[in-house]
Amino acid sequence: MEKIGFIGLGAMGKPMANNLIKKGFSLIVFDLFSERMGPLKVLGAEGAKSCKEVAEGCPTIITMLPSSPDVKEAVLGKDGLIEGVRKGSTLIDMSTIDPIMTQKIAVALKEKGVEMLDAPVARGVPAAIEGTLVIYVGGVKGVFEKCRSILEAMGTDIYHVGDIGSGEVCKIVNNIMVATTTAALAESMVLGVKAGVHPDVLFEALSSGSGNSFVLQNHYKNHVMKGRFEEEVFPVDYMLKDLGLALSTGAALRVPLHFAALAAQHYILAGASGESKRYHPAVIRPFEKLAGVEVRSKKK
Ligand code: NAD
């Protein structure tokens, strides 16, 4: 099987690379923190010393990096992919970044005869581990079809949603929906508990009501109710980054985003209250502190 390059072995990248190896792909990996390559080398991956070196060895390269400046640096910066990439190669960027940046990088790569797909993901770390990610792909349909088996090693729900940058647009819209719901539930649930309803009773009653949602049944049930706000799992800072991408995209297209802007303020408040590195449903914690209550299950 052809070699795949994988750059960015963090909370998401490491399990995604793991699944590619499990499905029989040979990998060359790179991360700025060299110790993050160790567990993948044990599974048979080759380690590289730079993004350039990854590009020299692989016709298909995946990036899974924090944000737009990181992807720009990895692709166009010193010792970046563009310095080593061969004509006819493909970059699949699976990071959540600004779609305008995606398009700029795609143009620079095209001049070298390199295709690009943007393929950001939804569902988070557990799905990255299980290989059940949702993947929103933008780019040329034929290139997408060529890369389908690679994407299928990491995800189960894969959508080709349009031209280059469209995958990022879908992901940003998804995260407006997740962030606004998470932030709105924070104040709603705190009100319910402060006004005297037991957290478990409130959760159960709301689960049958018309206000029920995926966020209530996942982020609240499994994290807020259990007081589990782990570090290094899609933190408050990353949701704030995605809301920033939404607001700048909205401003560029003259689309007002009142609720996304309000949610961003909630996430800024959480960051300022010391929650910036915690899993993003920690957005509820400043509201709990203000009200002097906690929305936690009392069940053992
Ligand atoms: P992370 O911070 O855990 O990992 C990013 C990795 O990239 C780090 O190991 C870092 O050292 C490495 N890196 C940064 N710049 C680099 C460079 N120039 N060259 C090589 N390596 C570099 O981030 P993550 O949680 O894995 O998220 C990655 C992307 O996926 C982000 O865009 C995030 O918004 C998106 N995402 C995350 C989740 C989640 O639940 N964590 C869910 C969906 C989407």
Side-chain angles (χ1 to χ4, degrees), residues 244-282:
L245 295 174
L247 294 173
S248 60
T249 305
L253 297 173
R254 306 289 186 266
V255 176
L257 295 168
H258 296 111
F259 292 98
L262 255 186
Q265 294 303 316
H266 278 48
Y267 280 89
I268 289 170
L269 173 64
S273 312
E275 309 295 342
S276 58
K277 301 285 172 244
R278 289 184 193 278
Y279 185 43
H280 79 94

Side-chain angles (χ1 to χ4, degrees), residues 22-261:
K22 274 196 217 154
K23 292 276 161 66
F25 290 98
S26 304
L27 256 56
I28 300 185
V29 297
F30 177 66
D31 193 288
L32 287 181
F33 289 101
S34 54
E35 65 273 19
R36 296 199 174 163
M37 296 190 263
L40 290 152
K41 284 195 205 167
V42 170
L43 297 176
E46 246 176 83
K49 290 195 182 64
S50 66
C51 296
K52 178 184 171 190
E53 201 180 303
V54 172
E56 283 166 350
C58 306
T60 308
I61 306 130
I62 295 171
T63 42
M64 191 54 170
L65 302 169
S67 59
S68 308
D70 305 301
V71 177
K72 186 180 176 196
E73 180 63 23
V75 181
L76 306 178
K78 186 172 167 347
D79 283 332
L81 288 172
I82 202 148
E83 291 183 16
V85 85
R86 287 176 276 159
K87 193 173 174 196
S89 300
T90 304
L91 169 65
I92 309 174
D93 178 35
M94 304 191 75
S95 330
T96 305
I97 68 165
D98 182 350
I100 307 285
M101 176 61 76
T102 300
Q103 288 163 354
K104 282 185 185 159
I105 292 172
V107 168
L109 288 173
K110 192 87 189 167
E111 283 168 13
K112 292 255 173 183
V114 175
E115 293 287 349
M116 178 173 177
L117 298 174
D118 55 313
V121 306
R123 275 193 192 142
V125 174
I129 294 168
E130 286 158 19
T132 55
L133 290 166
V134 178
I135 309 179
Y136 302 122
V137 188
V140 175
K141 187 85 190 284
V143 179
F144 163 66
E145 290 302 344
K146 207 182 74 184
C147 296
R148 188 187 271 280
S149 64
I150 297 170
L151 298 171
E152 282 174 351
M154 297 176 279
T156 43
D157 300 77
I158 302 169
Y159 300 90
H160 180 255
V161 292
D163 295 339
I164 189 78
S166 308
E168 297 294 355
V169 171
C170 279
K171 171 63 189 178
I172 288 168
V173 171
N174 178 75
N175 275 14
I176 295 176
M177 294 160 79
V178 175
T180 51
T181 310
T182 308
L185 277 179
E187 61 184 35
S188 319
M189 296 295 277
V190 166
L191 174 67
V193 173
K194 178 74 177 177
V197 183
H198 188 286
D200 287 310
V201 174
L202 183 67
F203 179 83
E204 208 179 318
L206 292 173
S207 295
S208 308
S210 51
N212 191 23
S213 64
F214 179 88
V215 170
L216 185 66
Q217 295 309 321
N218 287 275
H219 302 68
Y220 275 71
K221 182 178 180 182
N222 300 325
H223 295 274
V224 173
M225 293 296 284
K226 294 181 178 166
R228 283 176 48 211
F229 303 104
E230 304 93 332
E231 296 205 351
E232 296 188 8
V233 183
F234 201 68
V236 163
D237 269 357
Y238 276 19
M239 186 56 98
L240 191 52
K241 164 197 64 118
D242 290 355
L243 287 166
L245 295 174
L247 294 173
S248 60
T249 305
L253 297 173
R254 306 289 186 266
V255 176
L257 295 168
H258 296 111
F259 292 98

Side-chain angles (χ1 to χ4, degrees), residues 284-296:
I284 194 172
R285 304 235 299 181
F287 294 94
E288 290 178 333
K289 280 179 201 150
L290 270 174
V293 296
E294 284 194 335
V295 182
R296 299 286 176 277

